[in-house]
Amino acid sequence: MLLYQAFAVGLVMAFAKFINAYGSFAQLMPFISYILLALLLGESPTEALILGAAVELAFYGVMQIGAVLPQDTAVGGLLGVAFALMLHQKPAVAVTLAVPISMLAVVVWNLLKFWFTANVELFDKYIDQRNIKKFNRLWWIQVGVYELAYFSLAFFAILLGTAGVKAFVTSIPPTFLTALTVAAGMLPAVGMGMLLKFVWNISFLPFFIAGFVFAAYLKLPIMGVSILGVAFGLVMFFIDREINTVKKNKATTIQSSGNDEEDFFND
Amino acid sequence: MLLYQAFAVGLVMAFAKFINAYGSFAQLMPFISYILLALLLGESPTEALILGAAVELAFYGVMQIGAVLPQDTAVGGLLGVAFALMLHQKPAVAVTLAVPISMLAVVVWNLLKFWFTANVELFDKYIDQRNIKKFNRLWWIQVGVYELAYFSLAFFAILLGTAGVKAFVTSIPPTFLTALTVAAGMLPAVGMGMLLKFVWNISFLPFFIAGFVFAAYLKLPIMGVSILGVAFGLVMFFIDREINTVKKNKATTIQSSGNDEEDFFND
Amino acid sequence: MLLYQAFAVGLVMAFAKFINAYGSFAQLMPFISYILLALLLGESPTEALILGAAVELAFYGVMQIGAVLPQDTAVGGLLGVAFALMLHQKPAVAVTLAVPISMLAVVVWNLLKFWFTANVELFDKYIDQRNIKKFNRLWWIQVGVYELAYFSLAFFAILLGTAGVKAFVTSIPPTFLTALTVAAGMLPAVGMGMLLKFVWNISFLPFFIAGFVFAAYLKLPIMGVSILGVAFGLVMFFIDREINTVKKNKATTIQSSGNDEEDFFND
Amino acid sequence: MTKTTEKNNVTLTNHEKKLTKKLFWRNMFLGFNMSYTRQQGVAWDWVHQPVYREIYKNDEDKYWEAMKRNLEFFNTTPNMVGTVSGLAVSMEEENAKASEGSFDTAGISGMKIGLMGPLAGIGDTFFSGVWGLIIMGIAISFAKKGNLVVAALPLIALLPNLLIRWYGQKYGYKLGSKYIQKAVQDGIMTMFTKASSIVGVTVVGGMIATLVKFPIVYKTKINGTVFELQKVLDQILPNMMPLALAIVCFVLLRKNVSPVKVLLGVVVLGFALTFLGITGA
Amino acid sequence: MTKTTEKNNVTLTNHEKKLTKKLFWRNMFLGFNMSYTRQQGVAWDWVHQPVYREIYKNDEDKYWEAMKRNLEFFNTTPNMVGTVSGLAVSMEEENAKASEGSFDTAGISGMKIGLMGPLAGIGDTFFSGVWGLIIMGIAISFAKKGNLVVAALPLIALLPNLLIRWYGQKYGYKLGSKYIQKAVQDGIMTMFTKASSIVGVTVVGGMIATLVKFPIVYKTKINGTVFELQKVLDQILPNMMPLALAIVCFVLLRKNVSPVKVLLGVVVLGFALTFLGITGA
Amino acid sequence: MTKTTEKNNVTLTNHEKKLTKKLFWRNMFLGFNMSYTRQQGVAWDWVHQPVYREIYKNDEDKYWEAMKRNLEFFNTTPNMVGTVSGLAVSMEEENAKASEGSFDTAGISGMKIGLMGPLAGIGDTFFSGVWGLIIMGIAISFAKKGNLVVAALPLIALLPNLLIRWYGQKYGYKLGSKYIQKAVQDGIMTMFTKASSIVGVTVVGGMIATLVKFPIVYKTKINGTVFELQKVLDQILPNMMPLALAIVCFVLLRKNVSPVKVLLGVVVLGFALTFLGITGA
Ligand SMILES: OC[C@H]1O[C@H](O)[C@@H](O)[C@@H](O)[C@@H]1O
Ligand SMILES: OC[C@H]1O[C@H](O)[C@@H](O)[C@@H](O)[C@@H]1O
Ligand SMILES: OC[C@H]1O[C@H](O)[C@@H](O)[C@@H](O)[C@@H]1O
């Protein structure tokens, strides 16, 4: 039974890590993996979604950009949800497990990337040898090892870790769980901070303020704030375009500025 | 009785079409005609207003601009409300009648304008003949024919049409009436579309979005959205003015720009 | 008893007028004086605050800027609250007394400033005589007289005025009190008008409108409107900065404008 | 040319006042008797005839020449005619005073043709678009409840119309063409039109959420729980269907589908969806 | 001139720190003893006397010359004095170090006169206008309920005042005049003032709706239905009368009607309307 | 060079269509096998290998030279690769057709290096930042209630990804480098990035108020009245603590404190405050 479960989680993990790279699809669909997980484990997809929502909320805003991968939320999320699902625990438990795992799992990716880097030499050589077969073989071997690594990670984590996790989880005192829930509620602040750091420019401050005021005071829901944000972005885009036109010293009047960019929008 | 009614509706129609041209007053006051109609027909002005509101809502945003008159809402509205008022029908019935009539009535205007165009030659001739009397006479004849045409249209519509309309209306099945109400509720979308088409520029999109968000999410009523719209328009006006000043390369500082336009506003 | 009360109010007045000048602290803390007043008079600080709130509301927005002091709100406020507190009257009564007193008290300041102006000659002379002692002595004498003047004003107002005020207050008919309350509610409009006059520029109109709409329609509280106002101010600041950059004809691109000002903000 | 430079002196003589008033009232008729070939050309002539008579009272030839000349094509938002009318009259007066051949009447035509476009732009946007929209929105909300207060609304509603006619004509007459055309050149006109359009677009955005109704009544049971389509849509975006409908209409009209067809399409849609049990009341 | 160029080195020596602190506290007195002819001129001199004494400790003549010179007219928002004070002191130090005749003290006066205006602009707008408005708005809302928390509010409220005094003085002293005057020339000051004003105007717009009360109690029966004036007005525009009242006050004040008259007018209006039974409580 | 100038002719031949489709699907693999030294360089080569084979089917040397050349460093947001890919292929085709030595292949590298930066800027901002944020926000709100509708969301969510890949590649291929690089130079790219960032920042502002929870349960009695800390804070500013927490996180991260440390800090804070009885559930 546990063997099957470990195998199932391993498969979903392999899938999740595949679409993590393939087309960057995973960025937008972690819940697909959670549903898959529930189906393969014979658990309720609804429950998996509720657990997954708690985990994704804690990861909210964590981005993988450039060279740095701050957390491997795919690995953390899947294992956290898998354990909580199998042990029928609360969302707070899923979060407790997911966060540290997501941080540890980064090591695996670093090791893999290190190995890929070492192999670059080989790719170079194969091209020099005009040997496309070897080139392609090494490519697919790397893809395979990548997949296998994460499959194994999940497989052994479940196989060997479940007992320990169970013991740990059942020994959690209730105040600890409350504290967990509080901490989980606070965690999205980290993701928000990361995102802000990435896009921040002091001249965006007013829009940050506006977003906050509309949500905090006027209770505008997420969707509404997003739409309003689009309006803000567009206004500034068009004002910038206007200023830009002047900057280029084109002697055009406001309305009839026949600059090329307009082609994109004026239809 | 029906004769009097036909005569009454004819009179109101003549009045409505007069202020349609005279000073463009009718643009803003169709409800004056509906009240007048009720008074002359001995019906409740309140009821006339309620019927009129439904009709005007369906026509909402339909504009007569430039050469094209998409619907003659004055004729359609008055006849639709008149029939519904006389037959004591629901607002949906008034709309059902008003919309097709307003489309058909455009023909009358086209015929009149065709005749006026033919007469331009005569006006030219009278000027050449230095005969101001004939010039004025033709002018007033045209005005008279215009008035008479719409009076007659209404008069005969009521006189000859009421029986038919009554038969038609009483035979409407209830689901049909529901469908009518639904369709009437949807109709303002056409007017909105026409208006948007007329003023549209992609750079106005953010304001469209904002207007929608404030009304849809924050339940800001019409008046509030309008006032906010004025604020938006003014902000952009002042920003444009600022950019415009730079464009003219006047070496003026932001605050103390002594350009002429300011005279209009800075007092 | 009355002697002590007069003395107490005099002391608080001296304090209030001191921080009126010292560091401009009083601008933000009239309520400190009201609490002090209550403590020294042995009355309830809570009541003093409630009376003070009514008075400050009526004074709301009245500013002392430049040469002109439209009302001495410190004197008016303190005496108005003191009388109302001692006679246990309603807030409306405090306002009734505070407003005229604040207008009359301006005379005292004008007399003092007149005397200070006459003394400038002496300060000049002492410097010419290289006599720093006399310079400093005159400085402190002026400060002393200023303090004494307002202490005395309050002292005698309470000592001699209380009986009269009591008689006046008890004779006020109820409709008069209602009218007072209405008038007090209207008074902040004057302060608002003064403030608007001071900062007004037609190009700020849209923000005035927005502030009004958000408060009137969407019930955004004071704090929310203020924060939103900051967002508006910042947006316009950054847009102006952008336009300003273009104005200086610096060939910089939008994002990477390396002008000096940015140092202040981009960290 | 003294008149056109004395910008601050906009007080009128008694005689001018009478003439001005007459012109103001006759200009109300500009919307009558439009033709395809001259649009408001004939109306312009009828409106100004007594004024030309007055201006050229000493010169029969010039009078008829003016009548002939002004019969030309003219078309603007009638509410905006004031400015052009005032300007044109002041120019005809120059012509009357000028010695033979020293004043080129082509300038009058030029001014009329040059201004009627921009004025129609702002006029149609503001009057037919924005102002009409707002006033009718309020009027309908009163009329819906049968509130007779609506009868008093035109008092406010007509104000901009009357004021722009009156002051447009007065300032056009007194300030002369330079000032007005400078405003047009400086882009003030387009800036106004843009500002008006922004108001209009904002209001339309709000109106769609307030006035357009698309009441979905469809519900079904999935796995035992009732699934109400309207509720799901509301969760995604309130007033989503009215918005979608309006955008579809807009896009069709922009592709020059005739308004009549769009209108019929909407009616057919309403009927179809209601008979299918998707919409209802 | 090393100091004015070492822009990044803004740490102070121990001695400078002591001097700076003393100056900071004495500057609190700038608001005392104002005269019509010199405004804060005498106060400036009293404030800076010990500093001048220190700077010119080796040159009695220069010290008294400085005292004489600085007695001149000066006027700015007291909260903003720090920057000018810091700059002036750094310039006096240059003067002390300079050889006879090589430093033109007119530059010090010029700087003071040049900066006091823009600083008063932003200072009055921000401190008397915007910040005071916001803080008092919050304070009143607490005080209304007799909440003693209001006593702690000045701790936050005074922060901008103290910080601008302290850092203004420090940076003025260390960065030197070039940098500060560049900021003024570049329009940063007016941009700040504009931004502050926008905040102020927004808040005033909100305040009018929140704080000004114009409670209409008038009602009558028309055709049997009760007609409550306040309700009709609310339907048109919520808080319409407070808005109208504030605008009337604004317009009157702008036409330079004295504040006292406007104030009395409002009181009379309140009484009149209440006695007529139109307003009430 | 005909292709790059025929801007309006963006229809593809049958053969081109097949090639385009193949490229589209292979580009999905750009995220695999990243190395520290070349990032997506190897993946680029693997992706384009069949296309290069096709292009240089008559010239073995040029084929291997292209393979060697394109193994260079490359890194961009994978979702944005389309444009560069399309452009690069069109340039390789030029190279294939060009007579020996007449086409400088350095231009291909230059284009790749020049575009990958700006494209990553807009791509990371939009895809990882803004779009991911919005979609995940909605997805979480559905998932919270266990609503399986969330499974259908990717259909919408992936659209921009797929469209930008497809049309980017198509237009890159057909329009040529001139047009695209002009857009970059004109600042369109930075303007887009700025606009996207503004959306992102606005959403983050809203998210903090909606998603971050900082539930304070502390209460005490002062003078007999119950004092609930959360209520007082709410009176000052709703969602004040979540805002403060997010700002602290932001400031720390900006000071390059490692995300892991910040994360642990927040967890520790949550535990500490809960054990102290200040926060709770
Ligand atoms: O477009 C200018 C003008 O053209 C015609 O005269 C009519 O349709 C008017 O309603 C319109 O304002
Ligand atoms: O205007 C600058 C300044 O002038 C005077 O000194 C006083 O009225 C101050 O309150 C004001 O800040
Ligand atoms: O920053 C560009 C790009 O860099 C790497 O390739 C990855 O981290 C991507 O997720 C990212 O989009």
Side-chain angles (χ1 to χ4, degrees), chain A residues 23 60 117 124 185 240 261, chain F residues 28 36 38 133 188 194 207:
Chain A
Y60 196 70
T117 306
D124 262 330
D240 278 354
E261 305 94 272
Chain F
M28 291 294 181
Y36 288 112
R38 307 272 172 92
L133 208 62
I188 309 281
K194 185 178 166 185
M207 292 296 180

Side-chain angles (χ1 to χ4, degrees), chain A residues 175-240:
Chain A
T175 12
F176 192 88
L177 260 188
T178 308
L180 270 178
T181 312
V182 169
M186 287 175 169
L187 274 180
V190 184
M192 298 293 101
M194 288 173 67
L195 247 149
L196 273 189
K197 184 192 166 183
F198 180 61
V199 294
W200 189 251
N201 179 308
I202 188 71
S203 69
F204 300 160
L205 177 58
F207 307 105
F208 177 77
I209 294 176
F212 181 79
V213 168
F214 275 90
Y217 279 103
L218 304 175
K219 306 293 166 214
L220 194 66
I222 297 177
M223 193 65 167
V225 174
S226 305
I227 300 175
L228 216 54
V230 170
F232 294 158
L234 286 172
V235 169
M236 293 313 291
F237 179 85
F238 288 115
I239 291 178
D240 278 354

